[in-house]
Structures are given as C-alpha cells and as structure tokens.
Amino acid sequence: MTGRLTPRAGPILYVLFFLSGAAGLFYESVWSRYLGLFVGHDAYAQVVVLAIFLGGMSIGAALVARRAERIANPLIGYAMMEGLAGMIGLLFHDIYGGVTEFAYRALLPTLANGPMRAVAVWAIAALLILPQSILLGTTFPLMSAGVMRAVRGAPGRVLGWLYFTNSLGAAIGVLVAGFVLVERVGLPGVLLAAASINLLVGAVAFLLARRVPSTAEAPLADSGVATAPPGETRLLLWAAGLTAFASFCYEINWIRMLSLVLGSATHSFELMLSAFILGLALGAFWIRRRSDRAGDPLIQLGQIQIAMGLLAVATLPLYALSFRAMEVLLTSVSRTGSGYVLFSAARYALCLAVMLPATFCAGMTLPLLTRTLLRRGQGEAAIGRVYAVNTLGSIIGVILASLVLLPLLGLKTLAVVAGLVDIGVGIMLLRATRQRTRAWGIALVAGALAVLIGVSTPLDRTILTAGVFRGNALSSARAATLPFYADGRTATVSMSESGAGFLVLATNGKADASLDALSRAACTDSTVRRRVAGDQVTQLLMGMIPLAYHPSGRSAAVIGLGSGVSSHVLLGSPALERVVTVEIEPQMIEAARLFRPANARTYHDPRSQLVVDDAKAYFAASGRRWDIIVSEPSNPWVSGVSGLFTVEFYRRIRTQLATGGIFAQWLQTYELDDDLVLSVIAALHEVFPDYQVHQVGGGDLLLVASAEGALPRPDWDAVLVMPGIREDLCRYLPITPHTLEATHLADRAVLGPAVTQIGTPNSDYYPLLDLRAERRRFEGRMAGGALALGDDWFNLARALRRRPAPPVEVDSIILLGMRRELQQWSRTWQRHPGPVPTDLPAFIIQSRFDVLRWRAMLGHDVAPEDWRPWLGQLDAMTRARHGGTAGWVDTLLFDEAAAFAERHGAPPEARAVIAFRRAVQAWDDAAVLESASVLVGEGVFPLDWIDGDALRDGALVAALRMGRSDLVTAWDLRTARLARRATGDLRSRVLAGWVQERTAR
C-alpha cells in the first residue's frame, strides 16, 4: 500500500467534513436550547453555554496538538471521535432529562440563590456538553492531519478546503436545524439527526482510513525551511488568539445591533449566526489557492488583519442605513407565508451585507496562520495549537464582550475598539517583516481612519430603538426623545417620550410597557376621572384579578418587571407580606423608575424585593412556596421567552405554589393565531386542575390556574376596597364588580375539548410558540377567535356551560378595549340621547345608527323587495342588543321583527331566521333545531338567508346541550358545508372538540 488515497477520496473527505460541520451546528443549536432551559436565559447563562462549547473545542484541539506526531493514522482517530460524539448524541436527551430532574428535585433546593447555586448549575451544564465538545474539538486537527498525509499536495490548499467545507456545513446546518428540523421533529429529533450524521461520517471515514497504512509519515513541515524562532511562533499564536477575540466582539456586537433591526426572535439569531459563519467559509475558500503562493505570509496576514479591522468598523455606516432598508422591505413584501420566505431571505442578505466584509477576512486568517506555522517547521502540532488558541480567544471575546465591553462601551465604541484590536494585530505581524519601518505609519493611518469612521457615523438612538422590524415608522420615531438608553447585558433598553409625556419602555426596540402622563400624575381634589386606556388596562388587571382569586394571599412573585405597575398593584393588598419581582435585565429596573409614581410601591415598599435573575433559575432554588405567582414576560416570539409558556415550566411553577395558591399567566393575542394561543392553553391544561381565561387588555389574555382543585369565584368586592388599590384607581372612572366580571371569557370545561384539536402542547422540546410566533408577527395575525368568545353574536362559551350573563346597565365605558364591557355599554348607550363621542370604537358608533335605521325600517308600510338585506339588519341588531350577554333574549326586538315579517308576508326562510336567532338567545334548544331544520331543508340555500357559521354554531350548541350524540352527529354533518370560518379559529376548535367528545361516548 502506498499510504495515499485515490483522487476521488479527497472530495469524499471534504464532503464528510461538510456534514460534520452541519452536525456540529445542529448540536450547538439544540444545546443552547437545552441548557438555556436549565441554566436560564440571562446574560451569564448565554455566555456560559457558548463558553463551555468553545472551551471543550479548545481542549480537544489542544489534546490533539500534544500528541499529533504520535498518532499513527489521524483518520482512524477522526472516525473514532465522530463515532463517539454520535453515540453520546443518541443518549443526550435522556441524560439531560435524568440529570436536570435530579438537580431540580434533590440538589438545587438545598442551595440558596447565590454563588453556590450558580457554580452547581454551571458545573452540571459543563458536564452535559463538555464531553461532546471535546470530541468535536479534536475533529478538525485530526481530519486536517489525516487528509494532508493521505492526499499529497499543497497544505494551504488542503487547509483552505477543510475550513471552507466545515464552515459551509455549519452555516447551512444552523438554518436547517432552526427553520426546518426543530419544528418538524423537535429537539430530540435534531439530536438524532446530528448523531446519525456523526455515525455515518465516522463509518465512512473509518473505511477510507483503512486505505492508509499506519506507518504513514507526517510530512507536514516544509523541507528546507528553517524552524521558526520561539518569538515568531508566540507572535503567530498571539495573533490567532487576539483575532478570535476581536471576531467574537464583532459577533456579539453585530447580534445586538441587528436585533434592533431584525427583532430578537430565535430565527433572527439563526440568520445572524449563519451569515457570520458563511463569511468565514467564503474567506477560507478564497485563500485556499493563494496561501501556498504567498511570498512572506506574515505580510499577507498583517495586511488581512488591518483590512479586517477597517472593514468591521466600516460596517457602521451600512448598519445605520439598514433601518431604512428594513422599513422599505416591510412595505414591499406581502404579509403571507411566501412573503415570509422572501422576507427571511432579505434579512439574511442584510446580515451578510453587514458581516461579510470582515468575516471574509477572518475566514482567511486561520488557514494562513496554520499554513505559516507549517512552513516554519512546526509540524502537525501547529494545527491543533492554532485551533486551540483561536478558540480560547473566542471564549475570552464572548465573555468580555457580552458582560463587560458592550454594557460599558456601547454598540459603536465596541465596534471601533474591536477593529483597533485587529489593526493592532496586523501591525504586530508587519513589525516582524521587512515592512517593519512602514508599520507605524500604517498603524497611524489605519487607526485614525477607524476612529474617524466611528466618530463620523451617526447612530441615532431614537432610530435604533424604533422597532422598525414591527413596521413602526422611522418618521414618528425621530419626533420622540429618549430620557433613558442603555446597552444592557441581555438587551438594549430604552425609554422614549412623545406627545405630552407619553412614555414607552422598550427592549431591543420592542415596546414592553407604556404609560401616559395622567397615569403617572398624583391625584388631587381637582383630578378629573377618566377611562382606563392603553397598557394601563393590562397593568392594573394583571394585579387586580389574581388578588380577586386569592385576596388573603400572603406572598407573591412576579415574573418580569415591565412597567412595575403590576407589582405595585399587588402591593396594594394589605394581606401580602412579600412581593418578589424577578427581572432578567438590570437596566429594565433602572428604566422603569421613570414610571414613578405609578409604580412607586414596587421600588419603595419594604415588602417589595427586586431580583435580577432568570425566572426558572430563581424558582428552582428559592426554597419558597407562593400564594400568588404572576408571569408577565415579554412577547413569546422574543428568543428565550417562549420557555415561560411550556408544559415543563408550568410543572415547575405548580410545585412552587402553596396550598390554595394560584398562578396567573399573561398571553398576547396580537401577532399570534388561535392555534398558538391554544397550544399555551393546552400546556396549562395538562398541568393545572382548573383555570379561567380573562381579557385584560385590547389584545391581552390572563390565564388564572389553581394549584389544586377548582378555582374559587373571584371576590371583586374584596379587591376594590383594598386601600392601596382604591388609591391607585383615584384618577379613573369608578370600576365596579360588573366591570371586572366582564373580563371573563372561558374556563377549563369549555376549552378542554378544544385542546385535543391541536395535538402537542407548547413544550420545551417541541417549542411551537418560539418557532411560529415570529412568522405570525410578520403576517400580522390575531387570535380573533379567543377574544370573540366574549362578544360574538351569542356567547358560545357560556352557552355550552349554561352560565347566564344577563344585561347590565352601565353609565359609561371604563376599561377601553374590553370587548364584553364595550358591548354592555353599547347596549345602554344606544338609547341615550346626545352627541356621539369621538373616542369610541367604530362599531359602537355604528350600532347607534343601526338602531335608528332599524326603527325607521319597522315603521315602513311597504314590504322589502328582498328580505335578505332586511335580515342583515336583524343580524346587526341582534349583535348590538345581545353582545356581552348569555341566556337572555330581547323579546321586544324579536316580537317587533316577527310582527313585521307577518304583516308583510315574509317567506318561510325569513321567519325561520327570526325564530332561530330568538331561540338561540333564549337557550330554547328544541326551537333552535326546529327553525334550523327549515333553513337546511330540501331546496333551501341556507347561505342566502343566514351566515353559515351562525347557523352551524347555534344548531351545534343546541344539539350538544340536548345531550344526544345522534343529534350532534346529524347536525355536524348537515352544517359542515356551511362553515366559512377557518378551522383554526378557537370557536371552531371548541365546537369540534365538544362534538368529538360527545360523539365518542
């Protein structure tokens, strides 16, 4: 045997290394999710996960470097490492589950929140991924040595191909794992895919390696080239470490910067990471044929480092333009599924535009450094040493950039400082060449140019924090001022002020809370009471509703500070002795101070404690049991947040509740759809024995769950008489028990059957919410079916449960945006004289004119030429008169309608519609089905006379309430063709679930 492979073997090995790179990023993608679930998603946790991964890679490379010359057949070693990594990958999910369960159950509760808990958590995290990280770290030096022994040729070209194929596989692997595999097969499935690739690669590499005899020499040091002096070797290793440090400073900085443009969603991070790695791959590809022909490689390396530093700083002007580019992009693509694909491709192009110039240079440095050491006679050990030192520099860059430099220096200054580091490395290298005399002049020019670019590039903070990724206009952002701005460890936090003191608190440009000036003003004798509007509705109800379910609670915890108003409201209870608010970002605590005095108790009440920590990590080691836990994190499309809406999280939370304790979960309906809302409800349903759903804002829900048994009825009176809360409500129109009762939408009994319609609930390991929420945000979706449970033409949820809701006469609307309350007030207001207020929703204003038109129509002596428009008016009146009620019928309305139809000889179908709508409102089930039979009779086209969903809803609810499965089956079949509502609408899911449950008996 010759010790050489066939010409086709080289490309095969490159393909194997491409697959290995993809598998490595499969692992990194899911490890960050797994360990984020355990160690949390705060700044330290994110850094620890990446540091462990990179540290293991560095250790693996260093181990190979120490034994490089003694490894007889590196390809055999490579095959073994890939195989071992694959075997561990197959077992990782089970190992993770067992280890973390032991930690949660037996270890962490014995450790208080503090350094010892952090050490224990990080040690466990390290033990979970360090073995595989070390194995993966050995693969590059082993594969490189094996290929260069077996495929004789220019080492620089071989190294370039290996860096390129491995990095290209990694860049593609990020996208495949994040956009395809996680959603289809979950985290365990991605692990299985990565492990299978490892095993396949290892098997093929082993078969190829058998063609290389174990006596193959290691001819990697160029003959005839003197060994480099120790000083030059140290210089090259320092260059490897420092350029990696600078590159990861760029990466951390770019991720934060681009988050302000693209949003902080998981898919945005995946696009950024892939773009970063692709730049490295292309740089390695470009240099593969040039490194062997370079005259003095130190000059080439020095020039590349200087260019990289300048190009990295030069991305700042391009970045400043990216906000306008995003604004144009959002107005150019359709908000559809296909539009989202184009939008994602455009975002990827934007990431490449910012990152590619500098990362292209970075991709050339490692092959060149390795090739230079080989030319200096360092042998195979050079590959592992360069890789190890480079990875070590990456670790330092990640830690310092994330936790120290970014918060200390800010986005622009960090970019300039990292660029100067690369320029400094380039000057160091040039000083070791014949160009040493020109080095200081080059340093002066390059450094001055970098600083000049940084100083002359305006990064308007009002633009940075505008939230352009949500379609917010930059023109309106420029009119705002920023009383607070800080680049925190986990996010950029800002407070903007516009229009008479209206404050908006945002993280990475996404608004998290807002208050107007009047909400922050102290009450006086001259204070004019007004309606509660905007975010203040949610913030007040997030505290008041949980207190109503447990008014005697003595301890409470709040997940997410937001404006701090919810914690402030909870502290309005004299019974509460302790309220802990857990916030992950310290700068949020500082920014929210500007909302005082609306949140004053959160900061000044001795019962209040503010804790900077990840919520999961805090509760795991708190050692307490809570009477009330309120979870109001950021929107679930934000990376890491969806883990607070999962089955696993709810299981942990339930163990933290005291006897009789309650858990309250905020959930948005905007930028989601009904199936995603239902996936969260399904997770809650699986864990808690009872729950209720309330509307707590124009697009917000509050899910209240019990630790054991049925929830008690909320005591609204008890909350409204609490002295602190009475003080908080002094500036608003009086809130009554009826006002608060009108927030109720549905309960477990209504929604339980619907849970079966969506399959897997939102889970840590099958994160539906995290994967799909960003797309729903782009598409502008709304979970309209969830909110319509409260104000549809008849109350579906209460009808199924036979829970009446009689009409309530109200003088005014108190909580703007609350749909049942709007309907109640609309019904009262229709009869009131006077001018039309200008601040009311359009449908309320329209309802008044509908009433006037209906009255005028009833007075006509001429029969309608077409009864269908007349029935449309009846539908509008039915909604206007019955909205927000259940089990109550406006007899006058239907008596007048029936008399008009009788007087003018209406056709049977029109009379059937009148009878049907009346019977539905009166809960007269037999009459509902009798009139519905006319409308679906032979020769009748129901959709000519009535909305198909209205007919189907009313008939199915009547059949369900009559308790006969044969009736349910028959009416389900008879009305299925009439449905026009999407099957994913929550109302459709509820009915389908009830039908399935009843007919299965």
Side-chain angles (χ1 to χ4, degrees), residues 722-745:
M722 291 177 179
I725 291 180
R726 290 177 62 187
E727 178 185 341
D728 294 333
L729 301 180
C730 65
R731 60 182 63 87
Y732 304 115
L733 293 171
I735 295 177
T736 68
H738 291 300
T739 307
L740 297 177
E741 179 61 28
T743 66
H744 185 266
L745 295 179

Side-chain angles (χ1 to χ4, degrees), residues 965 996-1001:
S965 60
Q996 182 180 35
E997 186 178 85
R998 184 60 54 85
T999 55
R1001 292 176 181 175

